[in-house]
Amino acid sequence: MLRRLGALGAAVAVLLVGLAPPSRAASVAVPGNANLGNASIGGTLTAQLGSVTASAGGILGVQVTASVACSDFKTGSGSAAETISKNNVFYWSGPATGFSGLVGGGTPGQPTSADQVSCATSHQAFQGQALLLSVSVTWNPTIVIHIPASAVQGIYTGTVTHTVV
């Protein structure tokens, strides 16, 4: 039986987190909170997260690699029916929307929707490289959430974490 989440469907919100190691001249900037919209129980929600930028500095052969991982999405007390497992959450980086660096470029981890990966484990989201001094690459990733037929109506929240190394 396919249940619906009312007239508006399931609302999903996400907290975007960026983490950079303190020992390197690397950073990642994320948009913060995002409301991904509504979907029906048993349906699929697809939304862009907003611009993510990974940057690094150095002298010669500068490189930055960003990885992504997700948490489960939960509502209420987080019971089984109130949880969308991260196994049902997929991510694809898409192409670079911005790049800066001397003689270099950015390489997406998942250039197209056909390349999307499960958020159940960490994956490379993007890599940027430049010949000298600094590199910065920006992209607008897409998240795809398959809402289980057993889910209950609610506002589900989860975390998408980008980390640079």
Side-chain angles (χ1 to χ4, degrees):
M1 176 173 84
L2 179 65
R3 293 179 298 179
R4 300 279 178 200
L5 290 179
L8 294 177
V12 179
V14 64
L15 170 64
L16 300 166
V17 176
L19 301 173
S23 61
R24 280 196 55 213
S27 65
V28 61
V30 296
N33 294 330
N35 182 341
L36 301 181
N38 301 312
S40 298
I41 290 177
T44 300
L45 178 66
T46 302
Q48 288 191 292
L49 296 177
S51 292
V52 176
T53 301
S55 304
I59 297 175
L60 186 62
V62 183
Q63 179 174 305
V64 64
T65 301
S67 297
V68 64
C70 302
S71 71
D72 291 337
F73 285 71
K74 297 182 178 195
T75 192
S77 64
S79 69
E82 296 170 317
T83 299
I84 300 171
S85 167
K86 60 187 170 186
N87 293 321
N88 291 327
V89 181
F90 294 83
Y91 175 99
W92 60 285
S93 58
T97 57
F99 175 81
S100 68
L102 182 62
V103 187
T107 306
Q110 307 79 32
T112 69
S113 63
D115 301 310
Q116 64 186 268
V117 292
S118 169
C119 264
T121 59
S122 179
H123 292 278
Q124 180 174 310
F126 233 98
Q127 182 184 42
Q129 59 278 335
L131 182 62
L132 295 170
L133 303 178
S134 67
V135 62
S136 178
V137 64
T138 301
W139 67 99
N140 189 358
T142 300
I143 193 164
V144 178
I145 303 173
H146 299 283
I147 301 170
S150 60
V152 299
Q153 181 176 0
I155 297 174
Y156 288 79
T157 58
T159 303
V160 177
T161 304
H162 288 89
T163 308
V164 294
V165 293

